Amino acid sequence: MISRFRSLSAFLRCLFLLFPVITAAQILEKYPYGQGYYNGGLNRLNEELKEIAKAQSLKPCAEPGERYPMAVLVNPDGRARFVKDFDTLNIQRNKCAYDMSRILLPHLKGWIPAKVDGIAVKAITTVNIVPDVIFSPSRKVMADIILEPNYKKGNGNFHAQVKHILESSLAYNVDRRKVELAVVISPEGKIDDVQIRNTQLSEINNTKLAAAIKSIKGVWRPASVNGIPVRYTLLLNFQQDFNFDIQRESEHRSMPKHQGL
């Protein structure tokens, strides 16, 4: 049985590594640079959205300007499914576009799996469902210019700060425990929400962890679509590595001390 660490200072010396891990069995948070996710590209995808909307007798939304960023998980076999969306506020603001996405996705069949080292892997991509575009008489659609949120000190710096918070909260030397974090950046450039998903870190208090991450200081440039700031969810995946040095130190502390003769 792995002993619980008795000293925070001793624990910090173990230097656990928590980092995003990408293997064929796991999920890429986005497609590798330069890889397309749909046969025929964005224009063909939007043409199919128009065709499906017509075939399904869908109607334009009552509120102009609605758009919903539909997150899609594309499997190695080319089949796709929805990624659960926890941003209920954005769903309510764009309910018509959201409902439309649920009807459209099952009819889209041209997905291209992402590849890493030539091997097809699971990957997430985002398709903007914009009813104003789907019901536009124009068939050609220009690609949206999408910019992800950017931390002024560097996204790597933010990632390192989150990693430090996680490391400081760990209590057990266990291999391959994982946690997924969803950090929502508002259009105003603030951390709007932090959600802890699929965690295997039993000693972590989710409420306290979320509060600690939300308290990270710094300025964000918000995500934008065609120059318009939008809410954006950053997905961060971490994995814990077993540390032999700290295991030996823990076992040494638990050994009985013998008195000399």
Side-chain angles (χ1 to χ4, degrees), residues 88-118:
T88 55
L89 180 60
N90 188 58
I91 291 173
Q92 289 303 316
R93 287 173 175 168
N94 298 275
K95 188 64 166 57
C96 174
Y98 172 83
D99 291 341
M100 195 174 294
S101 74
R102 268 43 195 166
I103 297 172
L104 294 169
L105 179 60
H107 299 279
L108 294 169
K109 306 298 182 183
W111 302 103
I112 303 172
K115 290 187 176 181
V116 174
D117 297 327

Side-chain angles (χ1 to χ4, degrees), residues 121-189:
V121 297
K122 295 180 179 180
I124 294 173
T125 190
T126 301
V127 176
N128 282 302
I129 301 300
V130 188
D132 289 349
V133 172
I134 291 173
F135 292 98
S136 166
S138 172
R139 296 192 66 82
K140 187 173 182 178
V141 181
M142 300 303 294
D144 283 328
I145 300 175
I146 301 174
L147 297 178
E148 296 182 356
N150 183 267
Y151 189 56
K152 189 173 182 180
K153 297 178 183 178
N155 285 10
N157 178 281
F158 178 75
H159 188 279
Q161 292 188 65
V162 174
K163 171 179 173 287
H164 175 72
I165 291 171
L166 282 168
E167 287 178 337
S168 301
S169 304
L170 290 177
Y172 302 103
N173 187 17
V174 182
D175 197 34
R176 299 187 182 281
R177 291 195 300 170
K178 301 172 185 176
V179 59
E180 178 182 290
L181 306 175
V183 181
V184 180
I185 308 300
S186 74
E188 292 74 37

Side-chain angles (χ1 to χ4, degrees), residues 27-32 35-38 45 69-74 80-83 105 111-112 114 122-128 146 232 235:
I27 300 173
L28 296 182
E29 296 171 7
K30 60 182 178 181
Y31 269 59
Q35 290 190 24
Y37 58 83
Y38 205 82
L45 172 61
M70 179 177 67
V72 179
L73 173 64
V74 181
R81 64 178 179 84
F82 295 105
V83 175
L105 179 60
W111 302 103
I112 303 172
K122 295 180 179 180
I124 294 173
T125 190
T126 301
V127 176
N128 282 302
I146 301 174
Y232 192 97
L235 295 179

